[in-house]
Structures are given as structure tokens and as C-alpha cells.
DNA sequence: TCTGAGTGTTTAATCGATTAACCTCGAGTG
DNA sequence: CACTCGAGGTTAATCGATTAAACACTCAGA
């Protein structure tokens, strides 16, 4: 049941191993008579010949294998599409992916790099489960590209989401609907994603004339639904004029929904909500569906692999660049114009 | 910057390549003087020598690479832990994983198998994103194991969840709390997971004397939250005595929560709810937290790899077996004893 | 002195594919 | 007729590690 070797093919075709190799690799188009070539091809076909990648790689000093270091992408439900994008792109160029899952520590990187070096991967792609700055060690593969992450020292090619323009899409939706009392449920960490989204928020606030946006920002310790809930409660009770809340991500937005429901606020009639990430388990399940932005995971994976292959295949000098990619707006129904005057919540409270 | 070869090491140590190899592989413990051995080791150290896996594999005819065919595991947020379990187990035995993502069609399998055969994987693990029956082609790797799936013809070793006993844990919780009017929001497909869970439901109904369980089963077309909502509404309006609902999975349970909230039923006071899967994005985010069962993904991945390695390393005859593994009960607070008499919903309606 | 048995180390074949360099033969050229 | 040249192949080195078999040497025993 073992695969046939080139020697077996060449014997069946009654030629030398060299001839068989040359014919099958197509690297000597017209050095052989059509009959010889055909005989070789038939023999290969008959024996189900496939070239032994180990042997080829050993000889050619390239494996056509790309290492993929997954920083928690495999084990968190956020960014699987990035790997799919990467795999599709790689397969399309006849490369395969060797995937190693690690946490993001420098030691784990070193181990991962070592393992991939042992396998003689032609290049390495590091994919992160969210847009962060990674401590990529100095000792690193010759060809390296990052996806959904940048190197702390910005010394590596990277494909990241355009946080600013992406979230601006939902901010515009809020602004154009006429909201001016807008709150923001954020994250307290210092990540590029956090900085980018808040910068966009402030720009939008300026542009649309949102009222006292600085005071309507609450930053959660963590970004789970329950933090979103507490933050939203805090926002909505402190500022009863709020008619829209922007959440840093969909999980926080989920908490905002719960807060709204508890306070008797209908979404979107009394309160518009937008999220970020388009985590389907949440954004599709909430009622009404959450208007949010889908991160360009597939694209980042694809582009990163294509860049990596181009690095591998041309030995030209390369100047590392960070490419920011737009996310897709997904409108579902959690945004509506504000009620006249103020939201139901504040008017009800006004009565009592 | 390229890695040192054995020849370079041997030259530095002033011995033959054979000696260097023998010393470093530890396969000839006392054939050399301690001084020679030490000299070789020092040289290897100094040069940062690591054996070239391609060369070794080519020679030894085994790669210490296991293929992992992921049937949508990578790209759905359900079962990433299975891959983590598999990778950890493999690394612990000095194997690496070559992962290929496919959909579950026979053609995709064939392609995946071919690709892994090209890479001379020593064995292949197929991991599915849920417990299903897979059409594994006849032409298959010599060593093959399934995780979270069985072969249609049951001809392959498999590690699967014990659906019956796993869900019985939450069913017992419901029964022991004293509920007798129990509803079930199910799935209409004919999967092992569906059959196992419904069988357990019926067994529990018998054991606890649940009232007319057959009539309180609604099967959804799909298993998203919105189907769970519609099914729960149907159940709760048709049978006002229901005090507990069991959902086929957490996503459906999420819909049940919404239905309950819409009907003014408090969970767990008026209605107990249990799910299955422990999908954290849902089970942790819902209020109250969802009591559910965590599938043994990590374990399945781990055990499958260990079985696979044992197949690879001993050429003994093997009789395929399917091993069912228990899931873990996760209690969060969506179960309470029923209200005296009946639920709030039915009593309120009774008044009007 | 010769044989035998260890010890310590090297020689050389091998895994399978690639490819530069070489060979052979017949046709064409001056 | 001697010589060149191209078409159509083949030879053999190479990638790096593994390992059976051979070799060189020492020392004990006959």
C-alpha cells in the first residue's frame, strides 16, 4: 500500500530515474520525445505516483510548508476564519500550513519558532485572536508575517483591522440617525484595538456634536457580557438623556441589552445599540439583531499568507509595513432614530 | 543563519558523522569513550545543532507527524479545545500535528487524506465540530482515529461524548428538584447526539414520572437561538403547567430565556432551564447563568491522539472500538424547585 | 607467535528526488 | 572526410541522517 517511488515509475516506463523526474516535473519540456514523456506519465498514473515531499524538500531546501503560530486563535471562538483564510490562500499556491497553538509569551514564541524551524518551514505566520501588540523575540524566522497583531517594535509585516474606519461605520449610523446623547461602554486595557476605537469615537463625537462624550464613557475591567451590563446600568442611570450606546465589542453589547431590558428600555426604539466583532453567536441571537462590524479575519489570513509567500519566493529586500483592513458593516436592527425629546426612560422618570 | 548539519558537528568534534549521530541519538550508549561522547555533545551545543527532520524522516520512514483533519472545528466556535487536547497529547509524545480544515464531504476527505499521505503523516486523526456520523472513504490511512464523530460503518476507532449519561446529569437535577411538567426543545435531525439525548430524556421521564413528555417535545429545524425562542413559546403557551425546559443545546436554551422573559416568567423561580454544550459565550452570559453540561472536547482530543500513537507504534492487530466519554455538569443557577402548585405564568393566566 | 574477543570508531549504503554535467548518435557543414 | 552541433537521454553527485557491517587496535590466553 506504500506509495510508488520514482524509481519504480522509471523502471515501468523503461527510462532512467532522471528522465522520469524531468518529465514529471515538467522542467525539460522538449528534451524528450513525446512518446517517452507519455510513457513516463502513463507509468506514473498507473502506479499512482506522488512525489515524496520529504525527499524533494531535503534536496531542494524548501518545504512548501508555512508555519502558522496561532496565539489562542484555535481555542477561542473569535477568529477561526483567519485560519481558514490562511489555509485557502496557502493551498491555492501549493503550500501547506503547519499549525502550532501557543499562548503569547516570548518563551512560547521561541518554542514555536524552534519547532517550525525543525520542520524547515519556509516562512512563519503569527495569528492572534485579537488585535494586540506581541512580544516577538529577536531570534525569529527569516520570513515572518503577523495577522491581527503587530510586533511591539513594529519590525514585522502585519495585517490588522482598521479599527478607526471600521467602527466609524457604526458611529456614522448612530450620528446620522440623529443621536446626540451617546454613551460608550469600553475596555480599560491599552490595546491598539482599544485606542483605535476610542479615537474614532471622539472624532465622531466632534463631527456629530455629541454631548459630553467624555463623561459618557465607562471602561470595564473585562469585556464580558456581565461587565457590559454593569457599565450600561451605570451609564443609563447617570445620564438619563442617553439614546444610544456604542459598545467596544459584541459581548459588552450583550450586557447592554440586558441592562436596557431591565430598565424597561426597548431596543432600538428607546435605545440604539451597536457592537463590534460580529460574533454570530451573539449578534444574530440577540433581539433585535445587533448592528455591528465584522472584522476582516478571512482577509487578514489571506493577505498575510500571500505576503508571506511573496517574501519566501523573492529574496528581495523588504521593508516591513503594517496594513490596516476595513471591516464590514452588518446592519441588523439595533439602531433607530432617537425618540422625540428624550428616551422613554427619562420621560417616565420625569413623571414620577 | 542556517542550522548546522551533523557533518559540521562531527568535524568540530573531530569524529566521523556516524559517531556524531550515534552519540547524539543515544543509541549506542557505551560504544564510545566518555570523552568522545562529551566532545560531540559540546560541539553540537556550540553549533546549536538540531537534527534535520526531513532527512531523518526520509531515512527512517516515519515522520512523527500526525495529520489532523478538522471537519469545521477550526472555523466554528464549538470545539477548539479538542484541537488543544490533541496538540498537547501529541507534543508530549514528541509528535507534531499537521492540520487540514475540510468540510465533511467524501471528496474533501479524500483530498485531505491525499495531502497528509503526501506529507507521510504517520497517522491521521479526524475531528468533527459535533458528534455526527462521517462518510469516511474506503481508501483511508493505515492508522486512523475519529474524535467527536463515528464512521458511518463503525469501522474506525472513535472517541465520542457519552450523550446519554452526560445529559442525564442535568435531567437528574430537574427531576430531583421536583419538576414533573417538563418540556424539551430539541433538534429534528437524525444525529447520534440527538438520538442519545432524547433517549436519556425518555428514560428520565420514566424514572421521575414526568407528565406526558412525548407531548412536550418540540423539535426545531435548526438549533439557533431564534428557533429555541419559537419552540419555547409554543411549548409554554400550549402547556401552561410546564415548570422546566430542557434544551438540546445552549443556543436553543438562549432562545428559551428570551421566551420566558417575554412571557414574564422568571428563571429559575417560574421556569427552570438546562442546556447542553457549555458554550461559554452563552452559558456564562445569560442571567441567571445557564446550568448545562460541558462536552469532553479536551479529553476526546487527548485520548484520540494517544490511541492513534499507540496504533502507529505497535503494528499489532487492532479491533476498532468507539469509546464514549462523560461530560462535566456545570451548575450555574437556572434550576430551582417548581413553585407550589404551578408556575407563575399559569396562575396569572388563571386569574384573568 | 598466533588466535579470539572485546572496544572504539569509521565506511559506506540507504531513504527518494533533483539537476548539472556528460554521453551518444546522426545530420549538417566546409 | 573530419568536425560541429543539437536532440534525446543517462550518470552521478547531492540534500542530511541513520545504521549494519567492517575495520583497527589492544590485550588475554593457548
Amino acid at each position: 500500500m506504500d506509495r510508488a517511488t520514482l524509481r519504480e515509475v522509471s523502471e515501468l516506463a523503461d527510462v532512467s530515474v532522471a528522465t522520469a523526474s524531468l518529465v514529471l516535473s515538467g522542467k525539460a519540456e522538449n528534451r524528450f520525445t513525446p512518446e517517452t514523456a507519455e510513457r513516463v506519465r502513463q507509468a506514473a498514473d498507473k502506479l499512482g505516483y506522488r512525489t515524496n515531499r520529504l525527499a524533494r524538500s531535503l534536496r531542494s531546501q524548501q518545504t512548501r510548508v508555512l508555519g502558522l503560530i496561532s496565539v489562542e486563535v484555535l481555542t477561542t471562538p473569535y477568529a477561526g476564519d483567519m485560519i481558514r483564510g490562511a489555509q485557502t490562500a496557502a493551498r491555492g499556491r501549493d503550500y501547506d500550513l503547519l499549525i502550532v497553538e501557543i499562548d503569547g509569551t516570548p518563551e512560547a514564541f521561541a518554542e514555536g519558532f524552534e519547532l517550525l524551524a525543525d520542520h524547515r518551514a519556509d516562512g512563519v505566520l503569527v495569528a492572534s485572536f485579537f488585535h494586540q501588540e506581541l512580544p516577538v523575540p529577536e531570534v525569529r524566522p527569516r520570513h515572518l508575517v503577523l495577522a491581527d497583531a503587530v510586533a511591539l517594535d513594529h519590525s514585522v509585516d502585519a495585517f490588522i483591522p482598521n479599527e478607526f474606519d471600521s467602527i466609524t461605520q457604526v458611529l456614522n449610523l448612530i450620528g446620522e440617525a440623529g443621536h446626540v446623547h451617546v454613551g460608550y461602554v469600553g475596555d480599560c486595557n491599552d490595546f491598539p484595538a482599544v485606542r483605535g476605537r476610542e479615537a474614532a469615537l471622539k472624532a465622531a463625537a466632534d463631527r456629530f456634536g455629541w454631548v459630553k462624550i467624555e463623561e459618557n464613557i465607562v471602561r470595564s475591567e473585562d469585556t464580558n457580557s456581565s461587565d457590559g451590563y454593569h457599565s450600561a446600568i451605570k451609564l443609563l442611570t447617570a445620564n438619563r438623556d442617553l439614546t444610544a450606546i456604542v459598545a467596544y465589542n459584541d459581548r459588552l453589547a450583550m450586557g447592554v441589552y440586558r441592562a436596557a431590558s431591565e430598565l424597561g428600555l426597548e431596543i432600538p426604539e428607546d435605545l440604539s445599540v451597536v457592537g463590534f466583532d460580529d460574533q454570530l453567536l451573539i449578534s444574530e441571537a440577540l433581539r433585535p439583531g445587533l448592528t455591528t462590524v465584522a472584522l476582516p479575519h478571512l482577509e487578514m489570513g489571506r493577505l498575510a499568507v500571500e505576503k508571506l509567500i511573496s517574501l519566501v519566493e523573492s529574496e528581495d529586500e523588504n521593508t516591513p509595513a503594517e496594513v490596516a483592513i476595513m471591516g464590514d458593516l452588518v446592519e441588523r436592527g439595533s439602531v433607530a432614530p432617537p425618540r422625540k425629546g428624550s428616551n422613554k426612560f427619562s420621560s417616565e422618570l420625569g413623571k414620577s
Side-chain angles (χ1 to χ4, degrees), chain A:
Chain A
M1 221 44 173
D2 280 331
R3 292 204 169 287
T5 71
L6 199 53
R7 197 162 61 76
E8 293 170 316
V9 171
S10 71
E11 278 165 6
L12 182 58
D14 200 29
V15 295
S16 71
V17 180
T19 301
S21 173
L22 259 6
V23 168
L24 293 175
S25 70
K27 280 204 176 119
E29 271 319 331
N30 36 18
R31 271 174 74 181
F32 304 101
T33 55
E35 296 78 55
T36 308
E38 191 50 26
R39 230 170 45 246
V40 171
R41 270 189 284 269
Q42 300 243 339
D45 238 52
K46 187 160 169 197
L47 298 177
Y49 172 77
R50 311 222 83 207
T51 104
N52 183 322
R53 297 186 64 132
L54 299 172
R56 166 184 293 174
S57 298
L58 178 60
R59 180 66 233 257
S60 65
Q61 300 291 65
Q62 51 152 349
T63 52
R64 297 195 83 84
V65 167
L66 302 177
L68 171 41
I69 295 197
S70 146
V71 183
E72 296 174 62
V73 177
L74 250 51
T75 46
T76 50
Y78 307 120
D81 271 343
M82 203 154 43
I83 297 190
R84 193 152 60 90
Q87 173 159 300
T88 308
R91 298 289 306 125
R93 304 274 247 112
D94 197 25
Y95 280 81
D96 294 316
L97 250 35
L98 186 58
I99 304 177
V100 186
E101 167 86 0
I102 65 166
D103 56 31
T105 61
E107 302 78 55
F109 268 114
E111 269 180 54
F113 285 163
E114 183 89 344
L115 194 153
L116 293 174
D118 281 356
H119 281 277
R120 299 306 195 266
D122 290 340
V124 174
L125 170 59
V126 172
S128 160
F129 73 116
F130 79 104
H131 184 177
Q132 59 180 325
E133 284 151 329
L134 289 173
V136 183
E138 286 293 325
V139 181
R140 55 180 73 161
R142 194 198 311 279
H143 302 298
L144 182 64
V145 174
L146 308 185
D148 208 359
V150 297
L152 265 172
D153 59 2
H154 300 278
S155 60
V156 184
D157 280 288
F159 293 83
I160 50 181
N162 182 330
E163 304 285 351
F164 193 102
D165 292 346
S166 294
I167 199 168
T168 293
Q169 296 175 97
V170 287
L171 298 173
N172 283 345
L173 236 44
I174 295 284
E176 284 158 11
H179 296 271
V180 290
H181 298 279
V182 178
Y184 178 72
V185 174
D187 179 293
C188 67
N189 292 292
D190 182 34
F191 294 131
V194 173
R195 292 196 297 270
R197 295 179 205 178
E198 288 202 14
L201 177 75
K202 285 167 187 166
D206 281 354
R207 201 162 57 250
F208 291 111
W210 290 348
V211 180
K212 295 186 288 182
I213 187 69
E214 289 291 351
E215 293 169 26
N216 292 325
I217 294 180
V218 175
R219 296 185 183 82
S220 305
E221 285 290 308
D222 202 343
T223 60
N224 56 42
S225 153
S226 132
D227 284 315
Y229 165 78
H230 293 299
S231 301
I233 290 282
K234 199 181 296 178
L235 270 179
L236 289 167
T237 52
N239 183 345
R240 311 206 145 148
D241 291 329
L242 287 187
T243 58
I245 291 187
V246 175
Y248 169 76
N249 67 18
D250 291 354
R251 283 183 299 161
L252 289 169
M254 188 175 183
V256 174
Y257 268 60
R258 185 153 66 86
S261 141
E262 208 158 276
L263 296 172
L265 296 174
E266 295 285 328
I267 297 173
E269 292 78 6
D270 304 315
L271 186 72
S272 290
V273 179
V274 294
F276 200 91
D277 277 359
D278 194 27
Q279 211 151 359
L280 297 183
L281 231 40
I282 294 172
S283 57
E284 283 186 341
L286 291 174
R287 292 297 130 181
L290 179 64
T291 290
T292 183
V293 178
L295 286 168
H297 285 130
L298 211 70
E299 275 296 275
M300 289 192 288
R302 187 177 69 74
L303 291 171
V305 161
E306 280 173 6
K307 176 70 185 178
L308 185 54
I309 292 178
S310 88
L311 289 180
V312 166
E313 294 189 346
S314 101
E315 290 290 338
D316 294 356
E317 211 50 53
N318 176 58
T319 313
E322 292 171 356
V323 178
I325 305 158
M326 274 294 279
D328 288 327
L329 175 64
V330 183
E331 293 197 56
R332 284 209 181 79
S334 58
V335 176
R339 281 189 194 280
K340 296 287 169 288
S342 57
N343 71 29
K344 178 179 152 203
F345 180 46
S346 64
S347 48
E348 268 177 9
L349 285 171
K351 277 181 221 154
S352 64

